[in-house]
Amino acid sequence: MPEREPIAVIGTGYVGLVTAAGFAELGSEVWCIDIDEDKIAMLRRGEVPIYEPGLDEVLARHRGRLHFSTDLGEALDHARLLFVAVGTPPTPSGDADLGAVHAVVAAMPASDHHALVMKSTVPVGTGNAIKRVFREQGKDQFRYVSCPEFLKEGTALDDFLRPDRVVIGDEGDWAGDAVDELYAPLGAPIVRTDIPSAEMVKLAANAFLATKISFINEIANVCEVTGADVVEVARGIGLDDRIGPKFLQAGIGFGGSCFPKDVSALKQLAGNSGYHFQLLAAVLEVNELQKRRVVGKLQQHLGNLVGKRIALLGLAFKPDTDDMREASSLVLSARLQAEGAQVVAFDPIAEAEARKRVTGVEFARSALDCVRDADALVLVTEWREFKELEWRDVAEAMAGTLVVDGRNALDAEAIQSAGLRYEGIGRTPRVPLVA
Ligand SMILES: NC(=O)c1ccc[n+]([C@@H]2O[C@H](COP(=O)([O-])OP(=O)(O)OC[C@H]3O[C@@H](n4cnc5c(N)ncnc54)[C@H](O)[C@@H]3O)[C@@H](O)[C@H]2O)c1
């Protein structure tokens, strides 16, 4: 294998660790830097601080190529390309908080042979603003490349190794070419463009996907009042290749560390420039209402929820991750408690993260333990083990009969055959209720 360019990754969260593992898999030596000493200590011991399928094996396989440190100097000594993967969480105004990005920028020395490669999702204009800062500080030779990340938690390694495309925004200098060369072995289309356009590709992609989800959720809500089944409707429209079948699963709304914050960051970015992005305002509003509709469904069947025991199956924002950021379960569990319900929850992986973010919820040890004596259960996260539940056992364990399938992921017929009442999102059950 020809010698690969060594790189550094700053920020060892979901994106940073996957980027490090992916480039190590392709043969690069990788210096991983984080300010979180505990995280670095764990990684040095061979422990992985996040849950991402397959990540522990790849990191273990390439231990010899991966170096973990809190010392940025080590990264600068060994690598020209510094991939930045620090968090850009939302501020109360909906803007992106660039505090961590600016801390990294401020720590850069004057250098004519280094480049920042921005993987963090940042507002359009950030790259040019950073270049301005570099100029003001006499660091004009420090290069900057925008290389937004499109991985999905749960399938992140596969997404890194088989991307639909790689987007590289640069100013036509050595750094853009070096990043291009690093990704070339993946054989994916590489979109070379200017920095602001690369930044916008990322925000626009997430905004479009979120729009698709809110769109199908609104169709689902209309299906409920008109007698159509949104699963059939989604199949029917998804086969149109101008539309495509993905992101047409109606449910209780999107969450996670990216969609909510990136959509509001784009809406806010437009607003700050004097443009009111009406469509995105609606996308976010629909999403908020969608999380709350489940409470309405429970009330419709159970009446007043005071003292009712509601079981939540799944807490993570989606399956195969322990990420609880902006998870729909957070809003749902808080709303249910506000209505006086007793909330019991089970998640196969995300419990530790959930315990940091939810209060007043009882944690069960298994799915069956969770539904025991419950008046209703709500599927919040479509983990595979919930789809494979033995519904007769569930029916026996529950006090009530109501199953709200918040992700339209369960087998409605099997649930009804077990004597339970099935309520999906935008679906009219076709099988008559078993008495
Ligand atoms: N998680 C995703 O699915 C995903 C996908 C695409 C893009 N992104 C974007 O990638 C970026 C990172 O997201 P994430 O989910 O990996 O975040 P994360 O919170 O999991 O990780 C961020 C890491 O950066 C570290 N950090 C903060 N300040 C630092 C500094 N000054 N120096 C070194 N390390 C520092 C933190 O300690 C943390 O370990 C965000 O901008 C996000 O929007 C995330």
Side-chain angles (χ1 to χ4, degrees):
M1 199 190 304
E3 190 151 320
R4 296 262 306 166
E5 166 117 28
I7 62 152
V9 174
I10 304 174
T12 58
Y14 289 88
V15 170
L17 278 181
V18 169
T19 303
F23 280 126
E25 179 86 359
L26 292 177
S28 286
E29 292 262 317
V30 187
W31 273 263
C32 303
I33 309 296
D34 206 291
I35 47 170
D36 184 334
E37 290 177 7
D38 293 340
K39 221 177 229 189
I40 291 297
M42 275 182 89
L43 287 161
R44 280 185 169 160
R45 289 196 299 270
E47 296 165 28
V48 183
I50 55 166
Y51 175 77
E52 178 60 43
L55 183 60
D56 45 358
E57 286 129 67
V58 181
L59 290 176
R61 189 155 66 239
H62 299 300
R63 267 187 82 77
R65 286 190 195 137
L66 291 157
H67 315 272
F68 299 100
S69 175
T70 52
D71 179 6
L72 188 62
E74 282 189 34
L76 289 159
D77 286 348
H78 292 96
R80 303 190 291 170
L81 298 175
L82 308 155
F83 285 77
V84 181
V86 299
T88 49
T91 62
S93 61
D95 291 282
D97 180 347
L98 294 181
V101 168
H102 288 314
V104 171
V105 171
M108 293 300 133
S111 163
D112 61 0
H113 62 282
H114 284 102
L116 283 185
V117 185
M118 191 57 68
K119 290 250 122 217
S120 296
T121 304
V122 294
V124 182
T126 303
N128 284 343
I130 290 173
K131 288 187 68 78
R132 242 184 342 265
V133 169
F134 279 152
R135 269 198 305 279
E136 283 161 15
Q137 296 176 345
K139 303 175 188 168
D140 324 44
Q141 294 307 308
F142 214 106
R143 296 294 165 220
Y144 185 92
V145 180
S146 166
C147 182
E149 182 52 59
F150 301 95
L151 63 75
K152 302 179 288 301
E153 288 174 20
T155 54
L157 271 172
D158 201 54
D159 294 339
F160 179 92
L161 293 168
R162 273 174 281 279
D164 292 335
R165 76 318 205 172
V166 173
V167 175
I168 300 173
D170 69 306
E171 294 191 321
D173 46 53
W174 65 266
D177 294 343
V179 175
D180 193 323
E181 233 169 82
L182 274 176
Y183 279 103
L186 297 178
I190 294 188
V191 179
R192 293 289 296 266
T193 182
D194 57 89
I195 294 169
S197 302
E199 292 167 339
M200 184 58 105
V201 169
K202 173 64 193 173
L203 294 177
N206 274 0
F208 185 81
L209 293 172
T211 302
K212 227 176 155 187
I213 296 172
S214 278
F215 173 80
I216 200 65
N217 282 338
E218 290 228 277
I219 293 289
N221 299 343
V222 180
C223 283
E224 282 182 7
V225 290
T226 53
D229 183 332
V230 74
V231 174
E232 302 294 313
V233 175
R235 194 156 64 95
I237 62 174
L239 285 167
D240 184 328
D241 67 7
R242 293 169 302 177
I243 297 173
K246 293 184 178 165
F247 284 77
L248 285 182
Q249 282 75 39
I252 54 174
F254 57 78
S257 64
C258 290
F259 283 2
K261 96 171 162 62
D262 294 349
V263 174
S264 60
L266 179 52
K267 173 178 160 279
Q268 201 53 41
L269 177 71
N272 296 344
S273 328
Y275 180 74
H276 177 49
F277 206 142
Q278 293 188 58
L279 183 60
L280 292 188
V283 165
L284 291 169
E285 192 186 347
V286 168
N287 196 52
E288 273 317 300
L289 294 175
Q290 202 66 16
K291 298 177 200 167
R292 291 165 164 80
R293 276 179 75 84
V294 171
V295 178
K297 282 179 186 291
L298 291 167
Q299 284 165 330
Q300 202 183 322
H301 288 276
L302 304 178
N304 194 321
L305 296 182
V306 176
K308 296 277 166 30
R309 189 169 170 83
I310 310 294
L312 302 185
L313 290 185
L315 291 164
F317 89 92
K318 67 174 187 176
D320 297 320
T321 182
D322 60 351
D323 200 339
M324 282 294 299
R325 289 177 284 187
E326 302 279 334
S328 296
S329 62
L330 298 173
V331 171
L332 187 55
S333 62
R335 278 293 308 122
L336 287 170
Q337 290 180 71
E339 292 296 329
Q342 224 181 43
V343 181
V344 52
F346 170 70
D347 190 288
I349 293 289
E351 182 180 329
E353 284 303 310
R355 280 183 184 276
K356 297 179 197 160
R357 290 170 194 259
V358 296
T359 49
V361 170
E362 184 186 324
F363 287 93
R365 289 184 309 275
S366 69
L368 265 191
D369 186 26
C370 183
V371 302
R372 199 169 313 286
D373 300 325
D375 294 292
L377 83 77
V378 181
L379 178 82
V380 180
T381 315
E382 65 275 38
W383 286 97
R384 181 203 284 248
E385 70 166 87
F386 301 149
K387 297 192 215 171
E388 292 170 352
L389 275 170
E390 189 45 71
W391 291 102
R392 290 193 191 282
D393 296 344
V394 173
E396 224 167 85
M398 284 177 70
T401 56
L402 180 62
V403 175
V404 179
D405 180 1
R407 300 293 177 187
N408 286 350
L410 302 176
D411 181 343
E413 284 185 32
I415 289 170
Q416 289 177 308
S417 307
L420 295 165
R421 235 178 327 167
Y422 176 86
E423 173 84 51
I425 307 291
R427 308 186 72 182
T428 322
R430 296 197 186 286
V431 184
L433 208 81
V434 176

